[in-house]
Amino acid sequence: MNTTTMQLTLQTISEPNRFNIVELLKKGPCSVNEIVQALKIGQPQVSRHLRILAEAGLVRSRTKGQLRIYSLEAQPFQDLDAWFDSFSILWEERLDNFEDYMLDIKRKEDK
């Protein structure tokens, strides 16, 4: 995932209603009406947020009869997960340094 795409993903889900839609869709696909009922916001707002999420590549829709069923696209979230994981190296290194420091203090105290 390039920086621009990642920024778009983060910016898109930073809006509270879109974040809540993503959280709801994590549980499984939903129709627009199911999202309206779950989040207690109007259908036009839900449709607008779903359009924005779709344009950012975060959700996809399929038709089932007269219903549009929305679900999450996995790849953008996998890319975010990989990006967040890259920070674990930083924290592991810092925690290792802290552990070494604490062991040095303990050794000095034990002398």
Side-chain angles (χ1 to χ4, degrees):
M1 178 182 264
N2 66 43
T3 305
T4 304
T5 304
M6 190 159 329
Q7 287 173 338
L8 175 62
T9 298
L10 292 170
Q11 181 180 6
T12 301
I13 63 174
S14 69
E15 197 284 327
N17 289 314
R18 289 192 289 269
F19 181 85
N20 290 334
I21 291 170
V22 168
E23 283 294 305
L24 184 63
L25 293 176
K26 275 188 352 185
K27 299 172 188 171
C30 293
S31 69
V32 174
N33 287 336
E34 291 170 326
I35 296 169
V36 166
Q37 291 173 358
L39 300 183
K40 297 184 180 14
I41 57 177
Q43 186 274 327
Q45 290 88 353
V46 168
S47 293
R48 186 181 85 243
H49 289 305
L50 286 168
R51 181 182 47 77
I52 293 168
L53 288 165
E55 288 172 355
L58 301 176
V59 300
R60 66 177 174 272
S61 67
R62 62 181 170 80
T63 55
K64 184 177 180 181
Q66 292 184 346
L67 297 176
R68 291 190 72 73
I69 307 296
Y70 286 85
S71 58
L72 293 178
E73 285 286 356
Q75 191 60 53
F77 296 99
Q78 291 168 342
D79 292 342
L80 277 178
D81 186 49
W83 183 68
F84 285 124
D85 275 351
S86 71
F87 289 95
S88 67
I89 296 167
L90 172 71
W91 285 107
E92 287 173 16
E93 182 180 304
R94 288 180 179 181
L95 289 172
D96 288 344
N97 290 341
F98 180 68
E99 180 182 22
D100 293 342
Y101 174 75
M102 295 304 293
L103 288 172
D104 283 346
I105 289 176
K106 183 163 177 33
R107 275 185 240 138
K108 289 177 184 175
E109 288 176 350
D110 290 344
K111 287 184 180 182

